[in-house]
Amino acid sequence: MNSELLIKNGRVIDPANGIDGKLDVLIEDGLVSAVGRVQKEVETVIDAEGKIVAPGLIDMHVHFREPGDEEEETISTGSAAAVKGGFTSVVCMPNTRPPIESETDVEYVHRKARQARKTHVYTMGAITKGREGVELAEMGFMSEAGAVGFTDDGRGVQNPDVMLRALKYASMFDVVVAQHCEDTGYGEGVMNSGYSSSILGLGGIDYLAEESMLWRDIQLVKKLGRGCVRYHAQHISTAGSAALIRKAKKEGLSVTCEVTGHHLLFTEEQCMDYDTNYKVNPPLRRQADIEALKAAISEGLVDALVSDHAPHLKSEKELEFLTAPFGIASLECAFSLYVKALIDEGVLDWSGLIRLLTCGPAGVIGVDKGTLSKGRQGDVTIIDPDAEYEIDVNTFRSKSRNCPYHGWKVKGRVEKTIVGGEVRYSRGDE
Amino acid sequence: MSVVLNSEEVQQVLSKMSEQIRVSASEGEDIAFIGIRSRGEILAERLSEMLSELLGIEVPCGTLDITLYRDDLNSPSGDWQPVVRTTEIGFNIDEKLIILVDDVLYTGRSTRAALDALIDLGRPKSIRLAVLVDRRGREFPIQADYFGVKSDVQPGKSVKVNLVESDGKDEVVIE
Amino acid sequence: MLGLRDLDVSEINHILDTAEGFEQISTRSVKKAPPLRGKVVANLFFEDSTRTRNSFTLAADRLSADVIEFTQKMSSVSKGETFLDTARNLEAMGVDIVVVRHVASGASRLLSRSISACVVNAGGGFCEHPTQGLLDIYTIRKIKKSLEGLKIGIVGDIAHSRVARSDIWGMSKLGAEVILVGPPTLMPPKVDELPVSVSYSLDDVLEELDVINMLRIQFERMGGNPFPSVREYSHFYGLTGERMQKAKDDILVMHPGPINRGVEIESEVADGKNSVILEQVKNGLAVRMAVLFLVNQAAAEKA
């Protein structure tokens, strides 16, 4: 490991500290030791002229499928994909088989991540045993083992009483409870409920399935008061959800939310040819929802951008639309997708975008990451903002290829990913 | 383009053919015409009218679509789009003397297809072939029993029969 | 050949015109013609449907094709042999045309993307059942000469009906006015964006209709209970002899079969003078022959 690493002449953007300027970053013994004009002779110097130097990016919503579906992804391949995508920290979802629901499960994820030695891997634990929405899982033990939040992702907690208890109990440990908002009482579906689903003859997931659960959860948070309750709405997808978040934040409730790239780039019409690569949950909605989500982002209502990287086998995505699993694998190209959806469209500036990929998510999960403050871990992502490239799934380090962005020409290429002062990815040395 | 038969000659040739058919058919024979779509259909109608007049009895006439029996169905060239149309034969062909009518006999392939199609419809006593133009270049052992005119055109040229009913004018031309 | 939504008016008419040529094959002594001689048609049915399958089999037989029957209940396992594996297996045996019936919407589209043989959709999920739509249109056209300006009612479970969807696309393209009739609970979402009008009352619209297509109430496909009881459904939407008094004298009564006698239609109507239900079955054969023939032609042209 390099004991000293100097990144010179880059445009350093550190939103948490209000920094945006041509500066140098010095990392010593794996920790950030200086941001400014550094005149020190060090062994390793990276010239970042013309590049953006950002705190290491964080994706707080990925599925690495281990344990249980290692043929789709492992913590090792997922970690390799993460650093290629510029992510120095990721948060795994607990909907593995079996789910992450005990401290040994959490430790297992951490051990696999240490062995992979690529990115920092955090995990959330399940809210309920078996993600069945009935009995609380051992949140205390998991949180002691380092779980950064709880969710039954892939499913919402249907029973309001169980959710209320989860919020109360988690508040003891000051850990966030994240919800996949979907009230299945509205019926089960495979795409957005609307004109397209009618034509295609596919069951729809109604807007209300998401919004009514989000509304309910916000009421629960309100009922519990402002103590230590922390609630996070995962991958919101509708204009109505954005409005609910706006209202909750205005009332000062401890509610945060995230948005995925695909909900900013695609509408339900992408499903018209039954291409299962567009089958995601929450489903792709309509243009008005995209506009509303972008408006929410530019207003600062959204705390994090996430890939919801959900790898699946080709053979599974080759199934009928009805049967194929939900999900898009996009961790490696996620950053460029946000650039396309938000920078190119003028929704955010670079600093605004990087905020939602660094200190934004770090704040939600409560980890000491996402800034270049002195003494923090030396996690840095170097990005060439102008470089264009074509997304090619065949170059993915992820095991899966279920990515509808294949062949897209995009901007904003990750050049180097540095984790704890060590260069873990460098474009070109593969 | 050169004209092989003009309007008047087409008419003369047809009446000569109907006369030949009358002569060759034996007494009491149950004759019926069947034309191959689309020009053969028109010629068959004309011939049946002429023969009806000569014999003083109604000679039935029908139309045969041979698309399904063509041997080039699975290798259509760009200029030929198969369009399946109806076969319209309003009488039983069993035990009849069928005069199959086409405009041009060339390779013999259409006639072969027509024979197969006819046999799927019933069992005629016999089938004879009448064509307006008998063009050289047979690929099958098929000959016309009655013909209007023989033609020796080189391959690559085409012999076209125009009729009042379909083209506004009777004539046979080489293009 | 996946759905009527993808076809334009001239293509639909071309299929119907071709079907006319095929109709008479069934009436002659040798009920067979040779255009698909040496071709292999695979009937790939992942859902029970004796009628449609028999109709396709007979159609292929009459065109002299060899037919492989493959019937299997769909398994919903996501790992293990998939639907595509099965189809690719058949393709490896040299199948030219695959006729597919599947419980999942879009299965035929998936198949056509993945194999090189021609794919004919014989009904998939709640999306389309194009040959049924075509035979409905063919039947109407044959009797009424044209669909232009006709008022056609489609009655019943629109939400779960692939027949309704194919009818809607085909009939509206040919100039008919389609009126969907049924309880709101059996209408698909955003039905107002389809090229149709909607009525919840059969009695209100019955007298204007030139054609009425009574969909089968498919108990097995409906989730929950979209109406309280069969009795109540029949009360509002059953085509009874009494209701027929209000209809035009020359209304055509259609049904895609199999009929639930006494549920959506009373026997005296199903077997009555306005019924063309058996006519539909007969025409189905000609339409399917036309479709198989044209699909094969299209493949030959591509080759």
Side-chain angles (χ1 to χ4, degrees), chain C residues 43-60 67-72 99 101 122 129 288:
Chain C
N43 272 340
L44 202 52
F45 276 59
F46 290 93
E47 185 182 59
D48 288 338
S49 169
T50 316
R51 287 159 177 255
T52 307
R53 186 162 53 80
N54 285 344
S55 181
F56 267 108
T57 303
L58 194 53
V67 182
I68 300 177
E69 301 282 354
F70 184 95
T71 309
Q72 192 181 58
V99 175
R101 159 65 67 96
H129 190 353
R288 290 183 176 114

Side-chain angles (χ1 to χ4, degrees), chain A residues 31 61 95 108 119 165 204 246 253 263 272 280 336 344 346 427:
Chain A
L31 305 176
H61 193 139
N95 61 335
Y108 171 83
T119 189
R165 257 183 286 145
R246 180 178 295 115
L253 300 173
H263 288 114
M272 289 306 278
V280 284
S336 302
D344 292 357
R427 191 177 65 80

Side-chain angles (χ1 to χ4, degrees), chain C residues 130-176:
Chain C
T131 55
Q132 178 73 41
L134 286 167
L135 73 88
D136 289 348
I137 294 168
Y138 183 84
T139 305
I140 297 169
R141 194 179 85 152
K142 203 168 144 190
I143 299 168
K144 301 272 187 188
K145 306 302 171 216
S146 156
L147 272 73
E148 193 68 49
L150 292 185
K151 288 197 175 184
I152 302 178
I154 304 176
V155 184
D157 182 1
I158 312 293
H160 302 99
S161 173
R162 48 193 170 218
V163 176
R165 284 173 177 77
S166 285
D167 278 352
I168 291 168
W169 298 121
M171 292 171 179
S172 61
K173 280 177 186 176
L174 295 184

Side-chain angles (χ1 to χ4, degrees), chain C residues 96-127:
Chain C
D96 299 285
I97 299 174
V98 177
V99 175
V100 63
R101 159 65 67 96
H102 203 292
V103 290
S105 304
S108 55
R109 205 165 289 264
L110 168 67
L111 196 58
S112 73
R113 270 205 303 270
S114 315
I115 65 175
S116 60
C118 304
V119 176
V120 176
N121 180 2
F126 310 141
C127 182

Side-chain angles (χ1 to χ4, degrees), chain A residues 69 71-72 97 193-195 197-202 272-275 286 315-316 318-320 322-323, chain C residues 5 74 76 78-79 82-84 88 102 104-106 109-110 113 126-127 165 169 188-190 193-194:
Chain A
D69 288 291
E71 71 289 352
E72 296 174 352
R97 293 187 309 159
S193 171
Y195 178 70
S197 69
S198 284
I199 288 180
L200 296 175
L202 292 170
M272 289 306 278
D273 201 30
Y274 294 99
D275 185 341
R286 287 188 149 183
S315 60
E316 290 175 285
E318 272 184 350
L319 292 168
E320 305 81 334
L322 206 59
T323 321
Chain C
R5 191 165 69 90
M74 227 268 290
S76 57
S78 58
K79 288 172 188 171
T82 66
F83 161 58
L84 276 191
R88 284 177 181 142
H102 203 292
S105 304
R109 205 165 289 264
L110 168 67
R113 270 205 303 270
F126 310 141
C127 182
R165 284 173 177 77
W169 298 121
K190 302 275 177 189
E193 293 178 30
L194 292 168

Side-chain angles (χ1 to χ4, degrees), chain C:
Chain C
M1 172 63 197
L2 305 174
L4 299 191
R5 191 165 69 90
D6 313 322
L7 298 182
D8 62 30
V9 173
S10 68
E11 289 169 318
I12 294 175
N13 279 325
H14 183 53
I15 297 172
L16 300 177
D17 293 344
T18 305
E20 270 176 36
F22 283 106
E23 206 184 318
Q24 56 198 185
I25 292 181
S26 303
T27 63
R28 52 192 220 192
S29 63
V30 178
K31 295 184 179 55
K32 217 168 172 122
L36 296 190
R37 211 156 48 104
K39 300 286 172 184
V40 182
V41 174
N43 272 340
L44 202 52
F45 276 59
F46 290 93
E47 185 182 59
D48 288 338
S49 169
T50 316
R51 287 159 177 255
T52 307
R53 186 162 53 80
N54 285 344
S55 181
F56 267 108
T57 303
L58 194 53
D61 277 344
R62 293 213 163 150
L63 298 176
S64 308
D66 297 314
V67 182
I68 300 177
E69 301 282 354
F70 184 95
T71 309
Q72 192 181 58
K73 279 278 176 113
M74 227 268 290
S75 71
S76 57
V77 292
S78 58
K79 288 172 188 171
E81 169 142 328
T82 66
F83 161 58
L84 276 191
D85 289 334
T86 309
R88 284 177 181 142
N89 259 291
L90 282 172
E91 191 182 32
M93 294 178 206
V95 170
D96 299 285
I97 299 174
V98 177
V99 175
V100 63
R101 159 65 67 96
H102 203 292
V103 290
S105 304
S108 55
R109 205 165 289 264
L110 168 67
L111 196 58
S112 73
R113 270 205 303 270
S114 315
I115 65 175
S116 60
C118 304
V119 176
V120 176
N121 180 2
F126 310 141
C127 182
E128 280 224 42
H129 190 353
T131 55
Q132 178 73 41
L134 286 167
L135 73 88
D136 289 348
I137 294 168
Y138 183 84
T139 305
I140 297 169
R141 194 179 85 152
K142 203 168 144 190
I143 299 168
K144 301 272 187 188
K145 306 302 171 216
S146 156
L147 272 73
E148 193 68 49
L150 292 185
K151 288 197 175 184
I152 302 178
I154 304 176
V155 184
D157 182 1
I158 312 293
H160 302 99
S161 173
R162 48 193 170 218
V163 176
R165 284 173 177 77
S166 285
D167 278 352
I168 291 168
W169 298 121
M171 292 171 179
S172 61
K173 280 177 186 176
L174 295 184
E177 184 188 327
V178 178
I179 304 170
L180 304 181
V181 185
T185 47
L186 289 178
M187 294 290 167
K190 302 275 177 189
V191 67
D192 49 314
E193 293 178 30
L194 292 168
V196 294
S197 53
V198 176
S199 169
Y200 302 136
S201 163
L202 180 56
D203 291 318
D204 282 358
V205 296
L206 185 56
E207 55 192 29
E208 343 166 1
L209 298 178
D210 299 297
V211 177
I212 187 165
N213 192 5
M214 304 302 297
L215 300 176
R216 173 181 161 77
I217 285 297
Q218 315 217 35
F219 300 102
E220 68 280 8
R221 289 209 190 130
M222 293 183 292
N225 63 330
F227 48 83
S229 70
V230 169
R231 205 176 132 250
E232 192 162 315
Y233 178 84
S234 307
H235 173 68
F236 289 109
Y237 300 105
L239 195 57
T240 58
E242 195 191 333
R243 273 209 170 93
M244 279 294 284
Q245 304 295 323
K246 281 196 242 172
K248 286 187 183 173
D249 262 357
D250 61 346
I251 189 172
L252 300 184
V253 174
M254 306 178 81
H255 191 294
I259 302 174
N260 293 313
R261 285 176 188 269
V263 178
E264 63 266 358
I265 191 164
E266 269 186 359
S267 286
E268 65 164 290
V269 181
D271 308 329
K273 70 175 175 60
N274 296 86
S275 166
V276 291
I277 297 172
L278 291 175
E279 197 62 23
Q280 285 174 274
V281 176
K282 194 179 107 194
N283 293 336
L285 190 59
V287 164
R288 290 183 176 114
M289 285 165 77
V291 166
L292 290 174
F293 173 78
L294 291 172
V295 159
N296 184 56
Q297 284 309 306
E301 271 156 43
K302 260 193 289 177

Side-chain angles (χ1 to χ4, degrees), chain A residues 22-331:
Chain A
K22 191 166 177 177
L23 297 166
D24 308 327
V25 176
L26 179 67
I27 300 171
E28 287 180 301
D29 295 328
L31 305 176
V32 177
S33 66
V35 174
R37 302 304 318 190
V38 178
Q39 297 301 334
K40 195 172 172 193
E41 283 296 309
V42 301
E43 200 179 326
T44 315
V45 177
I46 295 169
D47 180 16
E49 180 73 43
K51 311 280 197 299
I52 289 175
V53 176
L57 306 181
I58 301 171
D59 188 335
M60 63 170 289
H61 193 139
V62 301
H63 298 268
F64 281 177
R65 305 290 182 219
E66 197 174 356
D69 288 291
E70 288 84 353
E71 71 289 352
E72 296 174 352
E73 195 80 287
T74 62
I75 290 170
S76 168
T77 58
S79 299
V83 290
K84 191 174 166 204
F87 295 96
T88 59
S89 298
V90 296
V91 180
C92 290
M93 292 298 114
N95 61 335
T96 47
R97 293 187 309 159
I100 306 300
E101 56 182 0
S102 70
E103 83 261 46
T104 35
D105 299 333
V106 172
E107 281 161 5
Y108 171 83
V109 173
H110 291 164
R111 174 161 59 81
K112 287 284 176 180
R114 278 196 305 279
Q115 288 166 351
R117 244 185 111 70
K118 289 286 183 195
T119 189
H120 299 296
V121 178
Y122 297 99
T123 187
M124 288 199 187
I127 297 174
T128 62
K129 286 179 186 150
R131 298 170 51 245
E132 283 170 355
V134 183
E135 285 178 69
L136 294 185
E138 292 173 333
M139 293 185 179
F141 282 132
M142 285 192 276
S143 119
E144 281 184 355
V148 293
F150 300 101
T151 176
D152 279 356
D153 186 40
R155 269 180 223 152
V157 176
Q158 304 295 318
N159 184 323
D161 183 45
V162 173
M163 189 60 190
L164 185 64
R165 257 183 286 145
L167 285 166
K168 277 185 185 168
Y169 196 76
S171 73
M172 272 206 301
F173 314 104
D174 191 21
V175 176
V176 69
V177 178
Q179 179 82 291
H180 166 119
C181 293
E182 182 185 3
D183 183 338
T184 52
Y186 287 87
E188 307 234 332
V190 293
M191 65 175 294
N192 185 40
S193 171
Y195 178 70
S196 302
S197 69
S198 284
I199 288 180
L200 296 175
L202 292 170
I205 301 175
D206 204 279
Y207 283 57
L208 286 177
E210 176 172 320
E211 291 163 9
S212 70
M213 185 172 280
L214 178 57
W215 179 86
R216 178 203 74 182
D217 287 349
I218 290 171
Q219 304 316 304
L220 297 178
V221 171
K222 205 188 273 187
K223 176 185 164 71
L224 291 174
R226 300 210 166 95
C228 290
V229 173
R230 284 162 53 197
Y231 173 79
H232 178 74
Q234 296 181 294
H235 42 47
I236 61 166
S237 70
T238 74
S241 294
L244 288 167
I245 296 284
R246 180 178 295 115
K247 188 158 174 288
K249 289 205 166 186
K250 219 173 252 172
E251 291 175 25
L253 300 173
S254 176
V255 170
T256 54
C257 73
E258 66 190 28
V259 171
T260 72
H262 46 265
H263 288 114
L264 297 172
L265 289 165
F266 294 132
T267 64
E268 60 175 5
E269 277 163 40
Q270 305 293 336
C271 303
M272 289 306 278
D273 201 30
Y274 294 99
D275 185 341
T276 57
N277 278 334
Y278 297 100
K279 182 178 175 183
V280 284
N281 189 7
L284 302 173
R285 307 288 190 179
R286 287 188 149 183
Q287 192 59 37
D289 297 296
I290 294 182
E291 302 310 329
L293 293 175
K294 285 182 177 171
I297 288 170
S298 82
E299 276 175 65
L301 296 172
V302 172
D303 301 90
L305 293 168
V306 299
S307 67
D308 194 358
H309 176 72
H312 288 292
L313 293 178
K314 180 160 178 274
S315 60
E316 290 175 285
K317 279 290 191 180
E318 272 184 350
L319 292 168
E320 305 81 334
F321 203 94
L322 206 59
T323 321
F326 293 104
I328 289 176
S330 62
L331 191 52

Side-chain angles (χ1 to χ4, degrees), chain B residues 1-99:
Chain B
M1 190 181 96
S2 66
V3 177
V4 180
L5 294 177
N6 62 25
S7 163
E8 212 169 296
E9 289 162 338
V10 168
Q11 202 50 37
Q12 286 167 5
V13 158
L14 285 175
S15 55
K16 184 192 82 187
M17 286 168 69
S18 57
E19 180 58 27
Q20 284 173 347
I21 293 168
R22 187 187 66 83
V23 170
S24 67
S26 44
E27 195 75 21
E29 195 99 64
D30 206 355
I31 302 180
F33 285 92
I34 290 181
I36 299 174
R37 279 201 193 270
S38 50
R39 301 271 177 335
E41 167 189 6
I42 299 166
L43 292 171
E45 274 165 24
R46 292 205 198 165
L47 286 171
S48 80
E49 270 171 37
M50 289 172 171
L51 194 65
S52 298
E53 228 164 83
L54 289 174
L55 295 177
I57 52 161
E58 183 72 14
V59 179
C61 179
T63 304
L64 189 65
D65 183 80
I66 60 164
T67 312
L68 299 178
Y69 293 83
R70 292 181 62 143
D71 57 9
D72 52 355
L73 259 188
N74 287 313
S75 51
S77 56
D79 55 349
W80 181 69
Q81 275 274 342
V83 177
V84 178
R85 300 172 61 194
T86 51
T87 286
E88 283 155 24
I89 299 174
F91 50 87
N92 190 343
I93 65 168
D94 289 356
E95 298 308 320
K96 285 201 171 55
L97 165 58
I98 299 293
I99 313 285

